[in-house]
Structure formats: structure tokens, C-alpha cells
Amino acid sequence: MPLDPKAVAAALGGETPEPVYFQLCRAQVDAYRAALSGGEPLLVCCGQEAPLFGELAGLVEAEPPLCVDIRDRAGWSAEAGQAAPKMAALLAEAVLEPAATPSVTLTSQGSVVILGRGQAVLDAAKRLGGSQAVTCVLLPGHDGDLIPPAVRSLGLFRGRPVAASGHLGAFKLTLADLAGASPSARGALAFEAAVGERSLSCDVVLDLTGAPPLLAPRDGWVAVAPGDTVALERALAEIGGLVGEFEKPRWIKIDAGLCAHSRNGQVACTRCLDVCPSGALTPLGDAASVDAHVCGGHGPCASTCPTGAIRFDVPAGNGVFKRLSALLETYRAGGGERPVLLIHDGEHGDDLIAALARFGDGLPAAVLPLAVPAVAALGPDFLLTALAKGAARLVLLARPERQVDLEPLRAAAALANRVAGGLGWSATVAVLAEADPAGLAAALAEPVPVPVPVEPAAEFLVLGGKRQTLALALAHLHRHAPRPVEMLDLAAGDPFGAIVVDAAKCTLCMACVPVCPTKALSGHPDKPSLGLLEVNCVQCGLCRVTCPEKAVSLVPRLSFAADARVRRTLKEEEPYPCIRCGKPFASKSVIERMVERMSGHSMFAAPGKLDLIKMCEDCRVVAQYEMEDGKRPLAGAAPRLTRTTDDYLRERDQKKE
């Protein structure tokens, strides 16, 4: 592959290395050994021979080098002569040290329950039974031709699975009409009388029923279609390795204080719960809660969360934004123009890129690949930040079998396109579920339109949460936009907008203010007033479902006007004064509405009773204890007078006189 060491070094802000090695793993391996002896951390621009370089480092007890592929991703390309800025960008991104990722431990002893019909269940049990504890559960109606095993080395039952829960190492199955195999069966398998509903616990489940699984996809529940012998062989090999302790990343992090799921029993936002494919998210009080043992790291929950309460935490913190900035900034420093970001799920994207490099024209020089743990976890904050930092186009490459995870990502891409297009930018975001290298090549071959995004490119650091990052990206895109409009109309469900209050219905009860998770709604310390800070509104709908008067409606839009960043009054009125002492104590609308609704009620039928509603809390108590027709209906017996020594002395003196 052609290589311009001088241009690569200049883009990285360093000096041109001398010499440049082209066969470091073979003819020039002595140079690598000499570098190892120096004790400095090494970076080797070769991905293919990484195992060899690591092995050589281990022989001399040195730290293995960081091996970075610039061949398949840059050098093996029809445009390799222009790929120096991209090579530098790939190196700058690779040397960033990721933050430690929290993990969770799963423990499996290897006990297996096999569900299914016919001889395939017994054959699979025989294959696994030599090393693992196996229990077979045969579905009713398909066991008449099965021959009882000569030696009962496994649990054998007939039953109907009706429910399941748990994860790898801790599954629990509920079985109806459970019956044990008869030990005296001769010609054909027979079962004892059913004992009713029972539960079975196991570490792994092999599901050969062909029915929809009782649980959403998760580690340890292995489903195979009946008759698929290849898939069954893979499943048996996989189950054989599911014994011991396993570390998996703690994929997502939840800030319950920001969650807009519900307040006071009123449910508003269920976006993350609706898109979770593994069933790891469940409501817990007013917020969503995640079972880290079940979570499979699919990511759509983080993409769809409007407040940023759910964050995809692999890599931890804002690591993916740091890598994004390193790629784009180094590419520009090397003279690159109109970069196209190819964001892909690690292994899947790497395989397609390698195929293009070996058998096609490779990646274009302007295409910068960025591998992430889960493409579906990317939200509008990442996409708009990439556009603000100068990406001319984003292509999000996902596995075709993950189509079910991509709807939130497609919604985020549509939002980014609406915002960029509304401001006059030609940059676009495309979601591509592709397994064919030719399909990827065709998508990347499309010309990059002009004008290119933002000049100058944004250089802000991403340090805050989702909403803060969105605010920075949107401000930069608007500041340099070809068409800097003040307002963009958005679609329902987009996480920006305002609320409209029906003044005739609103009583300023302020029930909507404490439930707002982003503090977009607020009151006033001196008078009944409802205000909105529009930039904070995420259109979660909690205010709408909480309002007792049904006076609130949502308006999806994106405002760049100055008044969106300051409190705007939605309704305000003078406070209602107490008719007894004159102290303001409530809003006029609330008192009038209460008087209207309580008129004619039996509790307020007596003359003057409605006046109690018009009094402050102190005067209301006093009025209730005042005489009414010579009676004190709410008063108890007269209190006993306290007598003191002075009283007794006074009485004694009076008697003497």
C-alpha cells in the first residue's frame, strides 16, 4: 500500500519517523525486538499480525504493543494515495485510553433443561449428559414412540412450559401438568400421573420447541428450530462452554431523577420499556430499572430516552465522543475535507470493510470508520454533535438481524436530518442494515453534497449529559447555518418542544410543576404563575397526564429564539385574598373553581359554609370553632381550669375574712 509518512506525522503534530518499516513482522523483526528492549509503549501500524507482535513482547516480558489497522481501513483502497489524513485520524483515535467499564458477574454450574418434542430431545440430552446435569421436559402428545433409556442418567418429565424468568445461571421455569417418567415403562416411554404446576431451576435452557420463546433473547436461553441440525450442533457446542464465571459489561446506567416514566401513579413515558428487546427494563416506582444480568447491550433504550436518564455506558463516560473528536479533528489537521463517518458494530463492520479491501476498491479516502459496541445506542446528541464537528455525512451500519433494535436509531437519524435540512445544511444521516459488502460500497459511493457542514467545525468538549450536549451542538449548527431560522416544526415524539395551556381550564393548581423531570415548568415565589423554560422541555407528557383539568397540550418544535432560554409565563393572575383577614393564600381560579364545584354539596349546604373555602388555613380553623346558633359543633367539652398554689391561698384568705 502507498504510504506518506511525512503527511501522517504532520497531521499528528510530530516529526517524520526514520526509518519506516514495511516488513516488521518478518525481515525487519529485529528492529521490533530492539524497540521492545527500550521499554517505551509501542504502537504498531498493523492489525493482521497483532498476535505475533504480542507473542514476541511476551517472550521478553514487555508490554504488548497497541496494534492499529491502517491497511484494510485506509491503505488497501483505490484512493489510497489520498488516505494520509485518514491514517493519521485512525492512529489518533486508537491511542485514546478508554475509561474502565463496570461489569457484572454471571455464575453457571452448567445444569441444563431441554424443552422439546421427540427423539431430538433425548439425543441432545445424551450429548450433554456426559459433562452436565440435564433435565428433559417433553411436550405432551409426542412421546408415544420414544424408547425409555436403559440407564436413567437424567431427569425426564412431561409437561407444558407456561412461564419463565431469570438469566444465565439463574433460570426458573414454570411447568403445568408436570409428570415424571415411569420407571417400569417397557416398550414405549410412559409417564406417571401429573402432579400439577411445578417450578424447575437451571443455569441454561435449550429450547427445541419451535414455539415463540417464553423469554426475550438473553444469554443462556438457546433456541433452535426443530430440524435445523447445523444450528443444533452450534447450540450444543455453545452450551458446553457455559460453565463457570462470566464477566459481562454493565451496559447501561440509569439516573432515576431524570426519568420521565411516571409521577404519582400517572404514567407518561414508556419509550425505553417499549423498545428493550431483552426485557431487562421494568418500572420501579416512578423510574425505569435495569436488570444488569439480563441486559444484552442492544442500546435502543439509550437512543430513545428524551431526558438522558438512560446512558449507554460502554465505553464509560463520554469515551465515544472523545474518539469522534479525535477522528474529525486529526483528519482536518491533515488537510482532509468533507469527511464521511462510517459508524459500525465492531466485528460486523470490520468483516465488511476487510472484504471490500481485499476484493473491491476498499473504503474511499474520505470515509472514516468508527467502531462502537452498539450502533443502536446512538441518539440525536451524538449524531448532531458529529455534524457540528464537521462530518459531511453519517452512515450507520448495523447487522440485518438487529432490525428490531433500529427503530429508535432511525427516529434519531430522521430528527438530525430534519434539523440539518431545516437550517440549510446538506449533511445527512443514513441507517444501513447490510450484510453484503457490495451494498456497503454502493452506499459509500454516493457523492457528498455541498455545502459541507459547519465552518468552522465545533471544538467543544462533551462533558455533560444528553441535553447539555444537544444544546451545544444545536447552538453551533444554528450559529453558522446557511439558513438560520428561529423555529423548526418537529414531529410528535421528538424530544424538543413547548406546552400550551388552556387559560380557561387552568386553575394554577401547579400540579404539573413538581412532576417535570427537567425543571422546564416552574412557579413564582410571589404570585400564582406558571412558567416554561422551553429549552428544557423534552415532550415527555408528564405535565399533560398529571393536569387535573386537562388543560395542557404538547407542541413539538425546536426554537432557537432567545426567549426559549428564559422563563416564559404561560398563565398568571393575582392571588385570592382571605375574606376574613385579607391574606393572599391561593390562586383566584382555584378558589372560584372549588366554590363552583362545591355549591349544592351536602357538606356545604348550611348558610356560610361556602365561605370556609374562601378563607386561609388559619381563619378557616377559627371560623369552624365559632358559635353557630349558640352551639359549638366542632368544639369538645369545656377545658378544666388549672389551679395553682396562689388560688388555694387566695381562697383561704377569703374564708378568714
Side-chain angles (χ1 to χ4, degrees), residues 60 155 168 195 282 315 373 421 431 462 541 543 545 553 596 602 616 626 651:
V60 295
L168 173 63
V195 295
T282 54
V431 178
V462 177
C543 55
V545 300
S553 56
E596 177 187 345
S602 59
C616 68
E626 287 182 344
E651 290 178 1

Side-chain angles (χ1 to χ4, degrees), residues 408-632:
L409 179 63
R410 296 187 195 278
L415 172 61
N417 288 333
R418 281 196 294 274
V419 172
L423 295 175
W425 298 115
S426 58
T428 57
V429 180
V431 178
L432 181 66
E434 183 62 74
D436 186 353
L440 175 60
L444 297 177
E446 297 178 7
V448 177
V450 291
V452 297
V454 189
E455 286 289 349
E459 295 183 354
F460 59 81
L461 296 176
V462 177
L463 300 175
K466 187 172 191 173
R467 299 300 294 187
Q468 293 85 351
T469 304
L470 277 168
L472 291 171
L474 289 170
H476 196 84
L477 287 167
H478 182 261
R479 189 181 307 121
H480 301 279
R483 189 170 60 250
V485 298
E486 292 297 294
M487 186 80 67
L488 288 175
D489 292 330
L490 298 180
D494 286 340
F496 299 98
I499 70 168
V500 173
V501 172
D502 187 336
K505 293 181 178 180
C506 177
T507 62
L508 288 176
C509 68
M510 312 306 283
C512 55
V513 172
V515 303
C516 180
T518 59
K519 309 304 178 187
L521 292 172
S522 61
H524 193 282
D526 299 324
K527 62 176 65 176
S529 174
L530 177 62
L532 171 69
L533 184 60
E534 185 171 340
V535 72
N536 282 3
C537 182
V538 297
Q539 301 284 284
C540 65
L542 271 172
C543 55
R544 180 178 59 188
V545 300
T546 302
C547 178
E549 309 297 341
K550 306 304 177 186
V552 176
S553 56
L554 306 180
V555 181
R557 70 185 191 188
L558 179 57
S559 175
F560 296 98
D563 64 354
R565 294 184 290 277
V566 296
R567 183 182 184 273
R568 175 165 54 87
T569 302
L570 300 177
K571 183 178 180 180
E572 184 176 86
E573 61 188 29
E574 292 301 318
Y576 190 88
C578 173
I579 61 174
R580 186 183 179 102
C581 69
K583 181 182 73 174
F585 71 98
S587 71
K588 183 179 179 182
S589 298
V590 165
I591 300 303
E592 291 178 347
R593 189 64 55 84
M594 289 178 66
V595 170
E596 177 187 345
R597 291 182 176 178
M598 293 297 104
S599 296
H601 193 282
S602 59
M603 290 182 62
F604 295 90
K609 279 287 189 177
L610 280 173
D611 289 343
L612 294 175
I613 298 175
K614 304 175 185 179
M615 298 179 190
C616 68
E617 61 274 16
D618 296 328
C619 293
R620 193 177 303 126
V621 173
V622 174
Q624 297 240 37
Y625 278 89
E626 287 182 344
M627 294 292 293
E628 296 183 11
D629 298 329
K631 300 178 180 178
R632 302 179 67 183

Side-chain angles (χ1 to χ4, degrees), residues 252 277 296-304 312 374 376-378 405:
I252 67 172
H298 298 82
C301 56
S303 177
T304 196
F312 196 82
L378 302 179
D405 300 343

Side-chain angles (χ1 to χ4, degrees), residues 67-95:
C67 294
V68 183
D69 167 42
I70 61 171
R71 183 194 70 185
D72 290 2
R73 298 187 292 171
W76 277 0
S77 167
E79 299 179 7
Q82 296 85 47
K86 177 162 73 168
M87 291 181 179
L90 294 174
L91 295 175
E93 181 257 334
V95 298

Side-chain angles (χ1 to χ4, degrees), residues 115-121 139 142 206-212 222-232:
L115 306 174
R117 300 177 174 86
Q119 189 63 38
V121 174
L139 272 61
H142 296 80
L206 175 57
D207 186 354
L208 304 180
T209 63
V222 185
V224 177
D228 191 341
T229 56
V230 174
L232 180 58

